[in-house]
Amino acid sequence: MQKVLAILGGFFLSALSGCIVLYHLDAYDDPAANASTGGAGGLGGAGGAGGEGGQGGGTCRVEWCHTMDPEASPCAVACPSFESKRIEAASDQDVRGIAVGLDTGDERIYVTGRYRSTLMIGGVSVTSESGPGDDDAYVAAFDPILGGVNVKGLHEVDAQGTKLDAFPRIGFDVAHGAGKQVIVGGWYSKDGHGLNAFVRAYSSDLATASWTRTLGGIGTDGVVAVATHETKVFALGFLGSGEMMPGENSVPCAAGSTLVPAGESHMFLIAFDSGGTCQWVKHFSGGVHEPKAMAVNGSGDIFITGTYKNELDGTEKNPPPPTNMGGAPSMFVMKLGSEDGNVAWVRSHGGGSDAANPRGIAATVGESVLVTGSMTGAVDFGRGTIVADKKSPFVVSILDGQTTHWSTAITSADSTATGDSEGINVVPNGIGGALISGTYARDIDFDPKNPGPDVEDPLQGAFLARFDDAGQLQWFQNLGGGEAPQERWLRLAVGQSGIYMGAGWTPAFLFEEQTAQTGLDIVIAKITP
């Protein structure tokens, strides 16, 4: 069954409904296959003697949720609905991190990222200290109906008089917890050259910046993920060096300075208490590390993912194999304990000519985690080799350090599919399933049973995709395209009544009302999957 994709205008505070369903057509050959239970039926036909009517003869292939086709089926999977808010401004701003927290029973959605010039949310404005073309950092709060509550610029000093020295400043991730605090991590310029990492804590209403901790030295340093559990705050990041000289870095809890050899970048994980006092630090060495994401489960187990070239030393486990510095980096997934930072297990995938680049991780039940990202070449995530000729989104469900529950990728053997795509963020979908956000460039072929690419855009588009507990794709939601191809962050967080997405996007998404976009804007959406 071939359908033509229509790029449609969206709806503000309304649901997208009606989906296309693909079937196994060969299941319709015999509509009276079983006289005792009723025939298979055509499209839900009357069925044979004794039956209540068929359900379309076969299982649904993939729900195409980006269309408004009225065709439906008894085996259709419900498509998501959306509510959204766009923060428009004359200059660029976007979202890098999103979190959901409860304050006296009221759900709050927190986002952080970067902006230029002036940003206004909920009637409150912040103005950057930098010039119109330079990035500055912000943190903002929204209520459950996506009304802006407050916004703060991270150039302000905290309650202890600490200032994040100079721009560019970027807030890269945000979390809520550790005494109902809002925790922001990212990086800023130190003395106008190089980048240092920071962690800053705010009150839940963003009225007060309670404390700030900075770390780093010569080179490029940053925090890429923050998380909380009970009274602890965790910060995941990297310490870099110069190309020709080592970097001496100041790190909380560490005795003296931490040396990073020239040309290397080392991963660190730090635990603070709710007042910002360092509890422990883990420093990994031996190569070029790019930590990407972190998740903490209800028991306090910490899961991190990223890539490494050459060595990943400091796990105190059987180390992952070294990689070829000239080839693609290897992906790692690691579990650590929150009380001491000791590594429970670590595993790696890809490397050399085969690339696996994670971007998002989510903790589910027990020790289970979900990881999404992009892959090319031939990669075995533990359930058999997956082959992708082009950059393709993958999802892997890991039950523990030794067991892969399922793994899958949106790949295509069709020569007409020309674009690259990747998974960006992931959250659990029920028990064992996953919902991912991602982007595609030019086209994406998410249904190999259907000839040719299934979605096409001359530039770059965004999508959501839902997988069941066996890794089967249930539905694919095209969010819209028309964006200039570049790295984007479509961050997801689970709330009480839905899933929230924070993004920076220039054209209107399909679920938005049509407005006159002038640049990269902040978009907050509530998704009911």
Side-chain angles (χ1 to χ4, degrees), residues 12-294:
F12 183 63
L13 295 180
S14 63
L16 290 177
S17 61
C19 301
I20 254 180
V21 186
L22 299 185
Y23 302 94
H24 292 298
L25 297 181
D26 55 4
Y28 302 138
D29 289 345
D30 185 4
N34 190 319
S36 63
T37 61
L43 292 175
E52 294 294 330
Q55 292 189 0
T59 58
C60 299
R61 286 296 305 162
V62 178
E63 197 82 15
W64 293 28
C65 292
H66 50 267
T67 74
M68 295 293 289
D69 193 295
E71 184 176 349
S73 164
C75 58
V77 177
C79 291
S81 62
F82 297 86
E83 302 171 10
S84 69
K85 186 180 186 75
R86 177 178 285 259
I87 310 299
E88 297 182 73
S91 57
D92 285 349
Q93 59 273 319
D94 68 4
V95 173
R96 300 294 175 93
I98 187 169
V100 179
L102 289 176
D103 184 19
T104 63
D106 189 12
E107 194 167 65
R108 285 285 182 267
I109 300 92
Y110 299 98
V111 297
T112 191
R114 54 109 197 158
Y115 73 105
R116 294 177 178 175
S117 296
T118 299
L119 178 64
M120 178 175 287
I121 293 176
V124 181
S125 65
V126 292
T127 300
S128 173
E129 294 179 326
S130 64
D134 295 313
D135 292 330
D136 215 336
Y138 76 91
V139 58
F142 295 84
D143 60 30
I145 60 172
L146 306 184
V149 175
N150 201 356
V151 61
K152 286 286 186 178
L154 270 67
H155 60 273
E156 301 172 354
V157 298
D158 67 13
Q160 300 172 351
T162 304
K163 180 178 175 62
L164 298 176
D165 190 17
F167 56 87
R169 286 176 283 250
I170 294 181
F172 206 82
D173 199 17
V174 62
H176 182 271
K180 294 185 177 180
Q181 296 182 105
V182 179
I183 310 297
V184 183
W187 51 83
Y188 69 102
S189 178
K190 178 67 174 175
D191 300 324
H193 60 273
L195 293 176
N196 271 18
F198 75 84
V199 180
R200 173 169 280 190
Y202 285 87
S203 57
S204 59
D205 59 2
L206 303 185
T208 305
S210 308
W211 54 265
T212 305
R213 298 294 178 264
T214 63
L215 58 152
I218 297 175
T220 300
D221 319 301
V223 167
V224 300
V226 291
T228 65
H229 180 258
E230 296 179 346
T231 62
K232 287 192 175 64
V233 173
F234 307 105
L236 173 69
F238 57 90
L239 301 171
S241 65
E243 288 295 324
M244 304 300 295
M245 59 186 299
E248 289 194 26
N249 297 275
S250 172
V251 179
C253 290
S257 61
T258 299
L259 186 68
V260 179
E264 294 190 1
S265 180
H266 293 173
M267 179 172 65
F268 67 81
L269 178 64
I270 301 179
F272 302 94
D273 67 15
S274 58
T277 300
C278 184
Q279 303 296 294
W280 51 258
V281 60
K282 293 291 291 186
H283 173 233
F284 304 87
S285 60
V288 178
H289 310 153
E290 290 191 37
K292 297 298 181 70
M294 171 171 54

Side-chain angles (χ1 to χ4, degrees), residues 476-500:
F476 184 94
Q477 171 78 62
N478 181 30
L479 300 180
E483 185 71 282
Q486 55 197 298
E487 188 174 25
R488 284 284 172 250
W489 289 262
L490 300 157
R491 301 298 299 272
L492 303 173
V494 179
Q496 288 184 318
S497 57
I499 295 168
Y500 294 92

